[in-house]
Amino acid sequence: MYQLKINELSEQAFLNQYWQKKPLLIKGGFSDFKDPLDANELAGLAMEDSIESRIITNHNQQWQSHQGPFEDFEILTDEHATLLVQAVDHWHPEAAQLLEPFRFIPNWRIDDLMISYSTPGGGVGPHLDQYDVFIIQGEGKRHWRVGLPDPTLKQFAQNKSLLQVEAFTAVINCVLEPGDILYIPPGCPHEGYAIENALNYSVGFRAPNQQDLLSSFADHIIDTESGQKRYTDHTLALRDSKGELTQSEVDKVKTLMQALLEDESLFKHWLGNTLSQPKHDMDLAPEEDPFSVEQIQQLLENQVTFERLGGTRAIYQCMDTELLLSINGENYALPLSDLEAVKQLTDFIEFDSSVLNATTPSLDFIETFTTLVNEGIWFS
Ligand code: SIN
Ligand code: CO
């Protein structure tokens, strides 16, 4: 277990003073930091088809980006190279533990754990990210510079898959040592170059933009065949100009569209579905011999620890008459009385069956949990 210490700040004070506001160097955020994996293991993951990885090199100021999976690591040279592997929390349970200290930020905002291995001089160059990130220093040392958001900074493509930003003024200029952490809010330019072979762990966050939300909402409307109500105008009156689309007609179209956004059930089902959707493959191993509801009931009555598969996105919403549990893009409606049982699934990466049983879960809950166990999302 990793224990996070945010300098002298409480988690709430960090949220008030720094979260989405300004970058922060957290010196010794994890004391006696132990890497959950080494560079060889990371390279092993980068050989897998289902895992997204890149190698970026910067020899003689020439930036090159290579997409994984990799069969060998010749291009990961002794200097000026970085291997980056996305969503390692989906595949490596020990590495996934690094997300846990950051759960004071809600599940739905947490994205995944990206891990990089850089050789001296290696990095991805100066750039901006759209999302908050905590960059944890593992093995080795890396020199980081972080600036404040500056709308005049120009971004440019070093090559087609590497967007960088022009030179910026640093407000943090530091060498990270094992256990140190940098918090970088969205839009703050930053660059980090390894001083010695370095492992870095990036805890990334999600923040959908309007385009993401509206296009996903439109998909949901189509999938659920909702939104069939059509524009009507039984009060149509003659007007001077045939060409005019009047303000009241504009307003009526907007109202027609807004009615869908205001449909609480449709909106929450869509939101649960979209926000719980993993962006990367999962290491799913469905039960070959599925459990029956009775068998799960029995397991729950024994002392069993259930673990949650790495990368699982688990959130719930309270509705008027039911709870909506959303797991990895699927929604499950449950009675309001299951709130404490649902929290065992969403708020913990493992739980003890006796704790769950003490909440007296409904049969609906046990049925849902049976489905989730059979899919391999929880396992004992
Ligand atoms: C890294 O190179 O480990 C982190 C990349 C980043 O700054 O986003
Ligand atoms: Co970055």
Side-chain angles (χ1 to χ4, degrees), residues 99-100 108 127 179 219 232-233 265 286 291 357:
L99 293 180
E100 295 316 300
W108 77 266
H127 67 281
D219 288 345
T232 56
D233 53 1
S265 171
F291 288 99
N357 254 353

Side-chain angles (χ1 to χ4, degrees), residues 287-325:
E287 285 294 336
E288 278 175 17
D289 208 358
F291 288 99
S292 66
V293 172
E294 292 72 30
Q295 283 170 319
I296 289 291
Q297 224 151 8
Q298 248 166 27
L299 268 181
L300 286 174
E301 276 158 24
N302 295 323
Q303 279 286 327
V304 178
T305 302
F306 281 96
E307 285 180 55
R308 188 166 84 188
L309 181 69
T312 295
R313 299 184 65 77
I315 58 182
Y316 69 87
Q317 298 170 79
C318 297
M319 313 210 349
D320 286 346
T321 54
E322 60 189 16
L323 291 171
L324 188 63
L325 172 66

Side-chain angles (χ1 to χ4, degrees), residues 124-145:
V124 301
H127 67 281
L128 308 173
D129 293 314
Q130 304 301 314
Y131 309 101
D132 306 82
V133 65
F134 289 93
I135 301 179
I136 303 157
Q137 182 65 46
E139 169 195 316
K141 288 186 186 161
R142 203 157 170 199
H143 177 203
W144 284 94
R145 294 177 68 256

Side-chain angles (χ1 to χ4, degrees), residues 6-230:
I6 312 174
N7 301 335
E8 298 310 316
L9 296 168
S10 65
E11 291 168 347
Q12 187 60 60
F14 166 79
L15 293 176
N16 293 346
Q17 294 171 37
Y18 292 94
W19 177 249
Q20 299 235 302
K21 299 172 194 76
K22 50 187 179 188
L24 177 66
L25 167 61
I26 307 171
K27 202 64 199 154
F30 292 122
S31 50
D32 304 320
F33 185 81
K34 303 253 178 323
D35 288 274
L37 47 59
D38 62 17
N40 282 328
E41 256 182 289
L42 191 67
L45 294 173
M47 299 177 93
E48 301 283 338
D49 285 341
S50 40
I51 303 183
E52 205 180 307
S53 60
R54 282 181 302 160
I55 290 177
I56 291 175
T57 56
N58 57 326
H59 299 293
N60 311 316
Q61 318 295 325
Q62 272 305 103
W63 290 92
Q64 286 202 314
S65 176
H66 311 259
Q67 208 65 40
F70 299 99
E71 285 179 6
D72 64 64
F73 291 90
E74 253 167 53
I75 51 173
L76 188 62
T77 43
D78 287 350
E79 289 193 347
H80 295 104
T82 303
L83 164 68
L84 303 112
V85 184
Q86 302 291 333
V88 178
D89 54 311
H90 291 211
W91 305 94
H92 196 287
E94 290 80 17
Q97 288 286 340
L98 270 175
L99 293 180
E100 295 316 300
F102 299 94
R103 296 261 182 216
F104 67 94
I105 295 154
N107 285 355
W108 77 266
R109 289 281 274 122
I110 296 182
D111 194 4
D112 61 18
L113 182 74
M114 191 274 283
I115 306 186
S116 70
Y117 170 73
S118 317
T119 59
V124 301
H127 67 281
L128 308 173
D129 293 314
Q130 304 301 314
Y131 309 101
D132 306 82
V133 65
F134 289 93
I135 301 179
I136 303 157
Q137 182 65 46
E139 169 195 316
K141 288 186 186 161
R142 203 157 170 199
H143 177 203
W144 284 94
R145 294 177 68 256
V146 186
L148 294 178
D150 174 356
T152 66
L153 280 181
K154 289 196 184 53
Q155 294 196 83
F156 56 94
Q158 271 292 358
N159 59 53
K160 68 176 181 333
S161 51
L162 192 61
L163 195 62
Q164 295 192 340
V165 74
E166 64 186 343
F168 62 88
T169 308
V171 292
I172 293 179
N173 190 343
C174 61
V175 171
L176 287 194
E177 297 174 315
D180 293 346
I181 304 169
L182 262 182
Y183 163 66
I184 307 177
C188 289
H190 55 284
E191 59 184 339
Y193 303 101
I195 296 174
E196 10 179 283
N197 290 345
L199 279 167
N200 282 91
Y201 305 87
S202 294
V203 176
F205 293 81
R206 282 188 186 188
N209 67 15
Q210 292 164 310
Q211 199 178 75
D212 301 331
L213 292 169
L214 284 170
S215 71
S216 144
F217 189 60
D219 288 345
H220 185 77
I221 293 169
I222 295 165
D223 292 348
T224 54
E225 295 186 22
S226 325
Q228 305 287 350
K229 199 165 159 197
R230 198 169 288 280

